[in-house]
Amino acid sequence: MSAVTAAPPPTPPSPPGRRLALPRWMDARLLMGLALVLVSVVLGARLVSAARHTEPLVVVRHSLAAGTRLERGDLAVARVHLPAAQRERYLRDPSEAVGRQLVQPVTEGQLVPGTAVRAPDAAATVVIPLAADSGPRLAAGQRIRIWVATPSCPPRVLLDDVPVQSVRSGDSGSFTSSGGQAVTVAVAPQLADRVIDALAIDKSVLHAARLAGAVEPAPGLPDLAPCRPPAR
């Protein structure tokens, strides 16, 4: 008799798998976090872009005294970063300032406010010759005081606290070839006549001093009549 082997009982089917679902409050926090990251990235990019943005504005190449008439060589353009509200205070084009007169002193590299310049006063331009030993080396934009002396009188103030417009020196064939300098100033017409009168006095010598900061003004300009030689 042959043995009969009983078949193993069938394996029951596995139950369907269950997925773990995140609570809804975690979904909200995740979305909020992503939104905050996105906002931070956008704001950071804008701040970096704004920090790199510059505007061309007018600056002065060297320090200049109030009263100086601006020339193109006195000015430059620099790119600077300023808030929009502040940028509007300053000049953008040098042509807006050329030929105009400073109403306040400015220092080298300073931005030029629109309120710092105005139409120039009516003035006459005169050239003051200075010998090599008659004063320090001068430059445009400085403030000076000029004295005149003659054999008939000690030094008297000729011009007080005037800005230098330009300086010429070292020109051959003139007094400057010996180390002197010719200083150009713009003054009221009556003061220009005063300079011409002083230069016309026989053996008159002009001296200059550079002024800086607050300076006590000369107590009026003295009469030049005593400096003229007596009539023969």
Side-chain angles (χ1 to χ4, degrees):
M1 236 177 123
S2 60
V4 177
T5 303
T11 303
S14 301
R18 298 180 61 187
R19 295 182 180 181
L20 297 177
L22 293 175
R24 291 185 178 181
W25 63 267
M26 290 191 67
D27 291 340
R29 289 180 62 179
L30 177 61
L31 292 176
M32 185 177 297
L34 291 175
L36 289 175
V37 171
L38 180 60
V39 170
S40 299
V41 170
V42 172
L43 289 178
R46 288 186 177 182
L47 288 174
V48 171
S49 176
R52 293 178 177 176
H53 181 71
T54 59
E55 291 283 343
L57 298 175
V58 177
V59 298
V60 291
R61 294 180 181 272
H62 38 255
S63 298
L64 300 169
T68 303
R69 290 189 182 185
L70 295 171
E71 299 179 355
R72 185 62 183 85
D74 297 325
L75 307 169
V77 175
R79 300 196 68 90
V80 298
H81 174 69
L82 284 176
Q86 294 186 26
R87 290 197 301 268
E88 300 304 319
R89 297 173 49 198
Y90 301 102
L91 300 180
R92 296 173 178 268
D93 188 343
S95 63
E96 299 178 71
V98 172
R100 298 177 71 82
Q101 186 175 16
L102 285 172
V103 299
Q104 64 187 54
V106 292
T107 56
E108 180 180 354
Q110 180 180 332
L111 296 172
V112 182
T115 56
V117 295
R118 68 177 184 189
D121 297 328
T125 300
V126 291
V127 178
I128 299 174
L130 296 173
D133 58 351
S134 294
R137 187 60 56 184
L138 300 174
Q142 294 177 339
R143 297 157 51 208
I144 58 173
R145 179 176 288 165
I146 301 292
W147 288 269
V148 59
T150 74
S152 305
C153 69
R156 293 175 176 236
V157 175
L158 180 64
L159 297 176
D160 187 39
D161 203 347
V162 294
V164 176
Q165 302 299 325
S166 64
V167 179
R168 188 179 73 252
S169 61
D171 297 337
S172 59
S174 69
F175 76 94
T176 56
S177 61
S178 60
Q181 52 191 330
V183 180
T184 301
V185 298
V187 294
Q190 62 271 25
L191 293 179
D193 292 339
R194 180 178 173 83
V195 174
I196 294 171
D197 289 343
L199 293 174
I201 298 174
D202 186 36
K203 298 181 180 179
S204 63
V205 178
L206 273 57
H207 300 269
R210 198 164 43 223
L211 304 179
V215 177
E216 188 70 22
L221 297 178
D223 186 9
L224 298 182
C227 297
R228 299 186 179 90
R232 294 183 179 178

